[in-house]
Amino acid sequence: MRLLFIGDVIGRAGRAAIAEHVPVLRQKLGLDFVVANGENAAGGFGLTENIAQDFLNAGVDCVTLGNHSFDQREALVFIERAPHVLRPVNYPPGTPGRGSWLYETKAGARVLVVSVLGRVFMDAMDDPFAAVERELSACPLGQAADAIILDLHAEASSEKQALANLADGRVSMAVGTHTHVPTADWRILPHGTAFQSDAGMTGDYDSVIGMDKDEPIRRFIRKTPGSRFEPADGPATLCGLFVETGADGLAKRVEPVRVGGLLAQALPA
Amino acid sequence: MRLLFIGDVIGRAGRAAIAEHVPVLRQKLGLDFVVANGENAAGGFGLTENIAQDFLNAGVDCVTLGNHSFDQREALVFIERAPHVLRPVNYPPGTPGRGSWLYETKAGARVLVVSVLGRVFMDAMDDPFAAVERELSACPLGQAADAIILDLHAEASSEKQALANLADGRVSMAVGTHTHVPTADWRILPHGTAFQSDAGMTGDYDSVIGMDKDEPIRRFIRKTPGSRFEPADGPATLCGLFVETGADGLAKRVEPVRVGGLLAQALPA
Amino acid sequence: MRLLFIGDVIGRAGRAAIAEHVPVLRQKLGLDFVVANGENAAGGFGLTENIAQDFLNAGVDCVTLGNHSFDQREALVFIERAPHVLRPVNYPPGTPGRGSWLYETKAGARVLVVSVLGRVFMDAMDDPFAAVERELSACPLGQAADAIILDLHAEASSEKQALANLADGRVSMAVGTHTHVPTADWRILPHGTAFQSDAGMTGDYDSVIGMDKDEPIRRFIRKTPGSRFEPADGPATLCGLFVETGADGLAKRVEPVRVGGLLAQALPA
Amino acid sequence: MRLLFIGDVIGRAGRAAIAEHVPVLRQKLGLDFVVANGENAAGGFGLTENIAQDFLNAGVDCVTLGNHSFDQREALVFIERAPHVLRPVNYPPGTPGRGSWLYETKAGARVLVVSVLGRVFMDAMDDPFAAVERELSACPLGQAADAIILDLHAEASSEKQALANLADGRVSMAVGTHTHVPTADWRILPHGTAFQSDAGMTGDYDSVIGMDKDEPIRRFIRKTPGSRFEPADGPATLCGLFVETGADGLAKRVEPVRVGGLLAQALPA
Ligand SMILES: [Fe+2]
Ligand SMILES: [Fe+2]
Ligand SMILES: [Fe+2]
Ligand SMILES: [Fe+2]
Ligand SMILES: [Fe+2]
Ligand SMILES: [Fe+2]
Ligand SMILES: [Fe+2]
Ligand SMILES: [Fe+2]
């Protein structure tokens, strides 16, 4: 199966990149399933129902979230009727929405997506290690799922790498999000899971993590409130990770994707 | 001028990569100046005088440190007689050692290196923004220095990118360290500074940030003390950033370097 | 019933205060049950089996722990055979020891003690709110227990007060620990639970949170490693909270206890 | 001299307590100088010019701030013309307002007030230890000032106690703020400085740190956004510390003040 995971989409520039590039990539790369992290799609903070729908229209199959899941309050409501949108699985029990879901591709393959939040340098959610363990036990790769995609939404590279190695051999790909910078450590872990510490953002890199540079720099220096953070509006780079799985659902091939905008371009041949 | 910055060297595996690859890279890339971050070189924690000397012997011109600067207590002493070793400049006044230094290459060019610690998710040091401003004012690129290399030792990508954009046009390269993962966002910023959010570690990537995987994973899951963290001892990937500057000291060319070990290899042509 | 909760006992000075004052207080105040937090009893870090036994000998019925539960590695073992020692209940499942226990006083009354760790500004444990909810549902005051004592081991006053108000009316007393400073907000909450944001430490207050002052001050100023932290060894103040419950197990009376050492003395009449 | 320091005033309830009690306390205690921390006076977040004026009218001589100094944006402007309002001294250079000031009482005595922000578990400001050192060197007690009041606005008791011991013998009183809970560790330090880890808030204690309980508890449990935090509006307890100094400006006497509301009352005889 051919999978694409796209990192945090930031504001209008990121959304434009989704609309422009996903249809092309789907075809060019022969993709079976596409996940995009949408936690910053609405003005940099959260996701609206309309934007989620635009993602689907562009060819995204599943939209994951993160620590900004409910910045747009409407997400607390529409997420209940949006099986293609996942908030992290380790929110407390009773949280609206779901944290993992088993999707079916057009060709009939079953793809499990799990979103999980780290806790290092972040608000304390339920144990991500226990949550991943539980999800993977409930839906084993090769038995209940033909492919499994794990979105590790976390700040610390140590926590991401620990989670990924815990899942190694049991998921097709474990890819980090949240730092808004793609990492150059894509590889296949010893037991067959494709990994990248962070997929990077899909946004304008002439920015501070996707936001117009001036106000973040000013706040670091001055420590006083100023204007609101606004997404930078230059051309976005769509950043993500491409994985091709074998019959066992594990990764045979992993390659970075960086299309458009300021970063060095990368596209699987 | 041709510059190479090498990210956090981890333990024995990282040191072996320095000894093996730096002499070759110096020649192959025609390097004028090489900086390596050595804060994890001694068993994963700090730097000893002997290791610093080994780095010099291998062709490193300057060793920078970070939040682990003084994990090896001898560093509080030998750093005073080691002008080629820099601890972050924003330690409080009176800290042993120096945080920036103007070096001279064999060809007589002047290279300023500045090391600075971020404060987001880290222990609170003196203001890194004010410190960088002060250092760059005291030694302007093109006047007092022919090249300037800025080591941004920080956790948060926002703080690194804010600092880099503050320095843009005033340093040859601003490169992050500390996350132990190379980023794929190398580029030249609008005003001519080469940038990469993190150079990545020089260590064994079959690990959790360079450490043998078992104990970090166990601690995340169990939350109880176990054995000591030990550097992973498989083959290391030397990770870094190559920059070529023009007559004005700004970057004309920037390329990632990843040599040996598990990561996808990268070497300037 | 007459209950005494004693805050974090620090090193030798704190242990001496336990040995000296607990027997006297038991008699003078007619105490039915005494809890002491022992997470710093062994040289400032953790608890040994011998020290736990000394506490029992002095008249302590239950020793609670906190974030330093397992600083003394032997605690991972002896805690299994020590029903009078509790580590926080929201360590992950599988952690040695227990987090709550139903004790019986000499007079045959049943006292439930629950220890829980906060997560704000602390390492991320399992959800303390869910844990408290679960423990109190399993052993309701007035039905399964005649008195309930809740040790809220947390840094932030907001988290302690939120937890205490959640438990209000369902426990006899909810008392904070961990900041090593007694608070002057002891009172009975609207639904009948006695509360104090922090019981304070049982240690030498001519110190920095119980430790000899010099090294902590030096580290704040210098940011470099120095000598080890050592408990201050002047006379300790035993700090705690006295509560008298009514027939329903809720608090009728709450008074602070501060005996010995440098703090203003307080003792229920 | 007779000094009163009043802890964080929270919203309308806190302001009412200032208006009601300060005039009475001024007279009853024969106060020469009154400081109140006003960082939460305006709806729980920041300070307006009108509220600052109300404080003065009630008999407060100096209003200190904290991490919420500029939550009300107008403070960035009016603080420049408000010498009776101090923001923490270790904001970066160039911040509007001042962090210390030498006031003159009606009787002609000189009182220096210094406000400083801690950095543990808080946003990183300039070094509070260096800042306190600098302020006290510039205006020595007994020479340039007849009394010195130090507001230690910090989260961690360790940092407050380290700062207070650094200042011991050089200031009349060093009193903590920010945790919104009064501590019961008021005393005179070995070299003559009156100290209390936290003065406590002046607000309604039937709350979570001064805020209506429901929303804070809900957020801890649910981790999703809800309504705004609103100050609790029951009767406030005015909390503070009373100090009487001798001819040398050091403390001869220290007593807690808790007037009104739910806490056990305390008033110097
Ligand atoms: Fe994001
Ligand atoms: Fe995020
Ligand atoms: Fe490092
Ligand atoms: Fe580091
Ligand atoms: Fe403690
Ligand atoms: Fe603790
Ligand atoms: Fe406050
Ligand atoms: Fe505050």
Side-chain angles (χ1 to χ4, degrees), chain B:
Chain B
M1 224 181 311
R2 299 164 77 92
L3 312 169
L4 176 64
F5 184 98
I6 299 169
D8 309 40
V9 179
I10 317 286
R12 186 180 305 271
R15 278 150 27 210
I18 292 292
E20 179 185 353
H21 301 304
V22 171
V24 180
L25 290 170
R26 262 209 101 105
Q27 192 170 17
K28 200 188 285 188
L29 300 177
L31 298 172
D32 295 289
F33 202 81
V34 177
V35 177
N37 185 298
E39 71 148 3
N40 307 104
F45 301 94
L47 179 74
T48 64
E49 188 164 21
N50 283 341
I51 292 175
Q53 188 58 50
D54 290 345
F55 279 28
L56 298 196
N57 296 345
V60 171
D61 297 292
C62 169
V63 182
T64 53
L65 292 165
N67 53 315
H68 291 290
S69 295
F70 301 109
D71 284 5
Q72 301 294 325
R73 298 279 295 277
E74 64 169 271
L76 288 164
V77 177
F78 83 74
I79 199 171
E80 287 287 5
R81 57 177 180 258
H84 53 281
V85 176
L86 300 181
R87 45 82 181 160
V89 70
N90 55 333
Y91 268 89
T95 301
R98 42 202 89 60
S100 69
W101 199 252
L102 189 66
Y103 300 92
E104 199 175 302
T105 67
K106 277 186 187 143
R110 299 156 305 165
V111 180
L112 178 72
V113 183
V114 179
S115 162
V116 73
L117 263 173
R119 302 196 289 188
V120 176
F121 309 135
M122 305 185 87
D123 189 16
M125 294 287 154
D126 288 348
D127 184 347
F129 290 81
V132 164
E133 196 63 55
R134 194 168 49 237
E135 294 298 322
L136 300 187
S137 300
C139 183
L141 182 64
Q143 298 171 39
D146 301 304
I148 301 183
I149 299 172
L150 182 55
D151 179 349
L152 304 168
H153 197 79
E155 170 68 26
S157 29
S158 58
E159 194 174 24
K160 285 163 161 175
Q161 293 176 15
L163 280 164
N165 279 288
L166 182 78
D168 182 21
R170 299 193 285 168
V171 306
S172 311
M173 69 189 293
V175 58
T177 53
H178 179 71
T179 69
H180 293 196
V181 182
T183 58
D185 62 341
W186 62 84
R187 67 191 183 277
I188 298 177
L189 298 177
H191 301 290
T193 293
F195 173 66
Q196 185 185 22
S197 285
D198 207 289
M201 70 172 175
T202 293
D204 173 9
Y205 278 81
D206 184 17
S207 67
V208 171
I209 57 167
M211 295 290 152
D212 189 90
K213 287 180 286 193
D214 291 349
E215 178 63 13
I217 294 174
R218 202 198 60 74
R219 278 202 215 171
F220 272 117
I221 292 173
R222 299 253 49 92
K223 302 283 185 185
T224 46
S227 51
R228 291 184 355 137
F229 285 142
E230 297 286 352
D233 58 3
T237 305
L238 181 150
C239 283
L241 193 67
F242 167 80
V243 170
E244 189 175 343
T245 59
D248 55 4
L250 292 170
K252 295 190 310 187
R253 185 180 161 209
V254 56
E255 300 214 26
V257 173
R258 298 189 297 275
V259 180
L262 297 173
L263 297 198
Q265 304 290 293
L267 200 59

Side-chain angles (χ1 to χ4, degrees), chain D residues 8 37 39-40 65-69 117 122 153-155 177-180:
Chain D
D8 308 39
N37 184 298
E39 72 148 3
N40 308 104
L65 292 165
N67 53 314
H68 291 289
S69 295
L117 263 174
M122 305 185 88
H153 198 80
E155 170 69 27
T177 52
H178 179 70
T179 69
H180 293 196

